[in-house]
Amino acid sequence: MSRPEIRVQGLHKSFGDNHVLRGIDLEIDQGEVVCVIGPSGSGKSTLLRCVNLLEEPSEGQVFVGGTEITDPDVDIDAARRRIGMVFQQFNLFPHLTVTENLTLPQRRVLGRGRAEAARVAAENLARVGLAEKAAAYPASLSGGQQQRVAIARALAMGPDVMLFDEPTSALDPELVGDVLAVMRGLAEEGMTMMVVTHEMTFAREVADRVVFMDGGVVVEDGSPDQVIGAPRHERTRHFLSRLLDPAMAEVEEETSDQVGEPGA
């Protein structure tokens, strides 16, 4: 029986008076792919950032690989080395080549020598289909290529868990496919992945589970067929209908506005 690679218990997060996360309980098993969906402001990205303590929870516990990273005495730098993170923006150093972007964190954080870091960089660039871009600078790459470099940089650190925060949201539509293909490959390799996304096709085809969040709570958690194909809750159905049919959502909003007008 696989053990939970990520375990979140009673997680709360507030920013001043804004109570963003309201008691999240979630487990992700080793090798499992979990997609987190929900409307803007539902707490998805905050949850992801709490998993590697980029945001410090107000209350609750987070365990990664059996280590409680919310323990005040934990070596957080050591714990974070097991967690790869890919953001909406690529955050590549523009003055460094692709290879240098991959080798710098290995040398600084893991203490690898130049030769070993370069070897690992080359392996992971090949893994994301960009071996031929090793000497290129970020400005010469498309957005999709830069995001694949960012994924390779995270993989070069040898993580046990990969977290993705809307990895395709900043990309032109024609560039999304290559990034999702790399993520599919990681899933097939057995990488534990937690993915905040609006890409419903990816969630349906690749995820083992889909978690729908709204208002800082988990509303539904189940298989893609259940959560996306046959959601139990009206909040989930409403979100998916607006996401999958934006034109209908616009009609609904216009109708709502007209009903609310004085004298209507």
Side-chain angles (χ1 to χ4, degrees):
M1 183 177 179
S2 61
R3 61 173 170 79
E5 191 68 42
I6 299 172
R7 181 157 56 96
V8 176
Q9 291 183 317
L11 190 67
H12 290 257
K13 177 61 182 178
S14 296
F15 297 95
D17 294 332
N18 186 14
H19 197 173
V20 178
L21 298 178
R22 300 171 176 267
I24 302 292
D25 294 308
L26 181 67
E27 288 190 356
I28 299 176
D29 287 339
Q30 195 171 30
E32 194 173 25
V33 178
V34 174
C35 284
V36 183
I37 65 173
S40 297
S42 59
K44 310 181 301 294
S45 292
T46 300
L47 170 60
L48 203 69
R49 293 170 69 87
C50 283
V51 170
N52 68 351
L53 286 197
L54 287 176
E55 296 290 353
E56 187 173 347
S58 303
E59 183 181 330
Q61 297 172 294
V62 177
F63 299 82
V64 177
T67 298
E68 184 190 348
I69 67 170
T70 43
D71 184 336
D73 296 325
V74 74
D75 182 345
I76 188 58
D77 291 332
R80 281 199 184 116
R81 288 172 199 154
R82 307 184 64 234
I83 307 169
M85 181 95 181
V86 178
F87 301 89
Q88 296 178 34
Q89 302 301 325
F90 324 123
N91 300 319
L92 301 176
F93 292 113
H95 63 290
L96 299 180
T97 67
V98 165
T99 291
E100 289 167 342
N101 267 281
L102 268 67
T103 57
L104 181 63
Q106 294 182 65
R107 293 169 56 202
R108 292 274 181 87
V109 177
L110 302 180
R112 287 176 179 160
R114 287 180 181 273
E116 183 184 7
R119 177 185 59 78
V120 172
E123 288 175 356
N124 284 285
L125 285 174
R127 201 172 173 186
V128 302
L130 290 175
E132 77 284 0
K133 298 295 184 181
Y137 286 88
S140 70
L141 305 179
S142 70
Q145 289 172 331
Q146 290 187 60
Q147 188 62 295
R148 283 190 280 157
V149 171
I151 293 172
R153 178 181 56 188
L155 292 172
M157 303 297 285
D160 297 316
V161 170
M162 286 287 287
L163 309 179
F164 294 86
D165 187 8
E166 299 274 16
T168 60
S169 65
L171 302 179
D172 292 333
E174 66 270 20
L175 302 177
V176 169
D178 289 340
V179 173
L180 294 181
V182 169
M183 295 170 64
R184 280 190 179 91
L186 293 178
E188 291 169 0
E189 292 174 13
M191 176 66 73
T192 305
M193 297 165 59
M194 184 175 179
V195 185
V196 171
T197 186
H198 283 106
E199 299 288 345
M200 290 301 104
T201 300
F202 176 85
R204 188 188 287 272
E205 294 178 356
V206 180
D208 297 297
R209 283 168 41 223
V210 174
V211 172
F212 172 67
M213 289 183 63
D214 194 17
V217 301
V218 172
V219 178
E220 293 202 47
D221 180 350
S223 70
D225 286 344
Q226 184 262 298
V227 176
I228 299 175
R232 293 190 296 264
H233 294 268
E234 177 58 32
R235 290 158 79 182
T236 316
R237 291 193 290 271
H238 184 63
F239 167 76
L240 289 170
S241 68
R242 293 169 66 89
L243 184 65
L244 300 175
D245 191 355
M248 183 59 67
E250 290 179 5
V251 170
E252 288 178 2
E253 288 178 358
E254 290 177 1
T255 304
S256 176
D257 289 344
Q258 290 170 2
V259 170
E261 289 176 358

